[in-house]
Amino acid sequence: MSALKYEYRALEPYIDALTVETHYSKHHQNYCNNLNKALEKYTQFQGSSIEDVLTGLSTLPKDVVQAVTNNGGGYYNHNLYWENLTPNTKPLTEGVLMDEIRKAFVSFADFQKLFTDSATKLFGSGWTWLVKTKGGDIKIVNTANQDCPLSNGLRPLLALDLWEHAYYLKYQNRRAEYIQNWWQVVDWGVVTARLNSRLL
Ligand code: MN
């Protein structure tokens, strides 16, 4: 697992210390352990990057496809979730990401509204994403469970975890409030770096 760049309490008051600790050291760790367990007997995949594994789910032995979808997705998605957050957030300024956002959504405010709407409408456990398509455009998608956009040929730029374990200790049923507060700790520098990356 990628190490956290900040302490458990660093995202307060928006995301509380106990939630970050439980989410990272228990939930995320479990996905990581279960991914390793699933691939234990298939040593040929142990040197592969997680990106390659999730992009090529159909090349996996059939008996582990679902376990890797769930736990490989859980491992990768959470790495991105933590990487996307910072206690020292700065507003997104002019640059390539803002240009792409205007091209796709007209304005930053429109993008935030569409992303928030998409997250609010997600039913059950899953994620809302900003992704880059193979054509180079950006768009908003939802995925269920731990399904990863990489498996649909999309490059994740920004990930919002909407499983109850991501917010329930602090927000209980107030998911909309968690979503609003999550915007306060997004690291736009990381999102920009991912947009600029040549990797799919
Ligand atoms: Mn989670």
Side-chain angles (χ1 to χ4, degrees):
M1 284 173 22
S2 309
L4 286 185
K5 300 175 291 184
Y6 37 79
E7 292 183 43
Y8 293 142
R9 66 171 187 273
L11 303 175
E12 291 195 347
Y14 308 108
I15 306 177
D16 61 291
L18 184 59
T19 295
V20 174
E21 179 174 3
T22 311
H23 198 174
Y24 177 76
S25 70
K26 303 285 193 273
H27 292 275
H28 192 179
Q29 185 69 54
N30 260 341
Y31 293 119
C32 180
N33 296 347
N34 288 334
L35 171 64
N36 290 333
K37 218 176 287 170
L39 292 178
E40 216 161 40
K41 61 179 175 175
Y42 297 112
T43 51
Q44 68 269 36
F45 294 104
Q46 287 170 9
S48 307
S49 72
I50 186 62
E51 285 87 353
D52 286 346
V53 169
L54 290 170
T55 304
L57 284 177
S58 58
T59 66
L60 292 171
K62 285 201 168 36
D63 65 318
V64 293
V65 169
Q66 195 58 56
V68 172
T69 300
N70 294 345
N71 296 293
Y75 167 70
Y76 174 91
N77 298 347
H78 285 88
N79 277 346
L80 182 54
Y81 178 74
W82 302 123
E83 185 192 328
N84 275 156
L85 300 178
T86 176
N88 306 307
T89 192
K90 297 181 194 74
L92 180 62
T93 51
E94 296 302 322
V96 284
L97 180 57
M98 190 64 101
D99 292 346
E100 288 298 323
I101 284 174
R102 288 209 184 97
K103 204 162 81 184
F105 309 108
V106 181
S107 72
F108 186 78
D110 287 308
F111 158 64
Q112 271 197 311
K113 183 177 182 317
L114 286 168
F115 192 101
T116 298
D117 286 349
S118 193
T120 305
K121 285 176 188 151
L122 184 122
F123 184 76
S125 298
W127 295 71
T128 294
W129 306 84
L130 180 68
V131 297
K132 183 163 76 168
T133 69
K134 281 193 172 152
D137 299 324
I138 60 170
K139 63 176 186 176
I140 296 163
V141 296
N142 284 352
T143 60
N145 305 315
Q146 294 296 347
D147 293 358
C148 181
L150 283 171
S151 307
N152 296 319
L154 299 166
R155 170 80 179 167
L157 304 175
L158 176 64
L160 171 56
D161 189 343
L162 293 160
W163 284 56
E164 285 185 345
H165 67 228
Y167 63 87
Y168 210 83
L169 290 175
K170 179 177 172 71
Y171 295 99
Q172 295 85 47
N173 63 321
R174 304 187 311 279
R175 187 163 81 164
E177 197 180 324
Y178 159 67
I179 296 167
Q180 283 306 326
N181 282 342
W182 168 83
W183 288 109
Q184 305 302 317
V185 284
V186 171
D187 190 336
W188 295 107
V190 167
V191 183
T192 302
R194 296 183 68 84
L195 176 68
N196 289 334
S197 159
R198 284 161 170 262
L199 299 169
L200 169 68

